[in-house]
Amino acid sequence: GITVGAGSVSAGKSTVAASPASVVADGSTTSTVTVTLKDADSNPVSGKSVSLSAGSGISTISAASGASSAAGVVTFTVKDTKAEPVTYTATGDGVTITLTAAVTFTPGTATQLVFTTAPPSTGTGGTAWTQQPAVTVEDANGNTVTSYSTGVALVINSGTGTLTCAPNPVTPSSGVATFSGCSLNKATTYTLKATSGTITNSTTNPSITISAG
């Protein structure tokens, strides 16, 4: 019989796919991007080098598994520390493949509360502050955990007095708890902290000094 080798890599027939399509942006969980090189007749193209590039973002792409296999396959793994969507484009034997693969990197578990808007450094007893605080719920890599829905409370960390906010705690919206109407009643210097569930690692810096009303 006659053995006919595969032709050159076809941009339209070759494929790129990611599995799973959504992974946690924890810097270790990976998605596998599989590139399958095919010629114009959909025959696998073996022994060719393949590269993978990201259209945007900061994800890490592993080295290729090697030259394309007998089935035309080359695999990569991708991971990220930033919650973001990333589109990957493959080039096989110098030919950019039409299909792309998309991976959505998602926030991890909520581990920290961050004052993204701090209260002012000074205020008057019993008067709502000129700048009201906002607290963002983040994972260990600083990604906003947009799905977090447990109430975030603002409490006094140091200083003796009464803190009043309306309301307190606040249910986060898209991972951000925005406070309103907050005031402290006694003239002294305070630090405040945000708490939510078992997360208590956020304290205001600088402190807030209240003068008599």
Side-chain angles (χ1 to χ4, degrees):
I2 299 173
T3 301
V4 179
S8 57
V9 173
S10 165
K13 294 289 187 177
S14 300
T15 61
V16 185
S19 181
S22 179
V23 293
V24 176
D26 59 5
S28 58
T29 303
T30 60
S31 175
T32 298
V33 178
T34 301
V35 181
T36 305
L37 299 183
K38 295 181 180 180
D39 66 12
D41 296 317
S42 295
N43 298 306
V45 180
S46 63
K48 303 298 183 181
S49 62
V50 175
S51 62
L52 191 70
S53 62
S56 62
I58 63 166
S59 66
T60 301
I61 303 171
S62 74
S65 57
S68 56
S69 67
V73 171
V74 176
T75 60
F76 300 82
T77 59
V78 295
K79 62 186 179 180
D80 207 339
T81 57
K82 182 181 178 182
E84 59 182 351
V86 180
T87 299
Y88 296 95
T89 300
T91 302
D93 199 29
V95 176
T96 300
I97 296 167
T98 305
L99 275 177
T100 59
V103 179
T104 300
F105 295 96
T106 59
T109 302
T111 60
Q112 56 188 352
L113 302 170
V114 176
F115 279 93
T116 40
T117 302
S121 58
T122 59
T124 303
T127 301
W129 306 325
T130 54
Q131 178 169 284
Q132 294 291 315
V135 176
T136 301
V137 184
E138 297 181 348
D139 67 10
N141 289 301
N143 296 301
T144 301
V145 184
T146 55
S147 61
Y148 191 85
S149 59
T150 303
V152 177
L154 196 63
V155 298
I156 294 172
N157 180 62
S158 65
T160 303
T162 301
L163 169 68
T164 303
C165 297
N168 190 15
V170 169
T171 301
S173 174
S174 298
V176 180
T178 303
F179 291 85
S180 59
C182 294
S183 64
L184 289 157
N185 67 333
K186 288 187 178 181
T188 189
T189 297
Y190 301 86
T191 59
L192 307 175
K193 68 178 179 181
T195 66
S196 183
T198 58
I199 311 171
T200 59
N201 59 356
S202 184
T203 304
T204 54
N205 181 25
S207 56
I208 175 170
T209 300
I210 299 297
S211 57

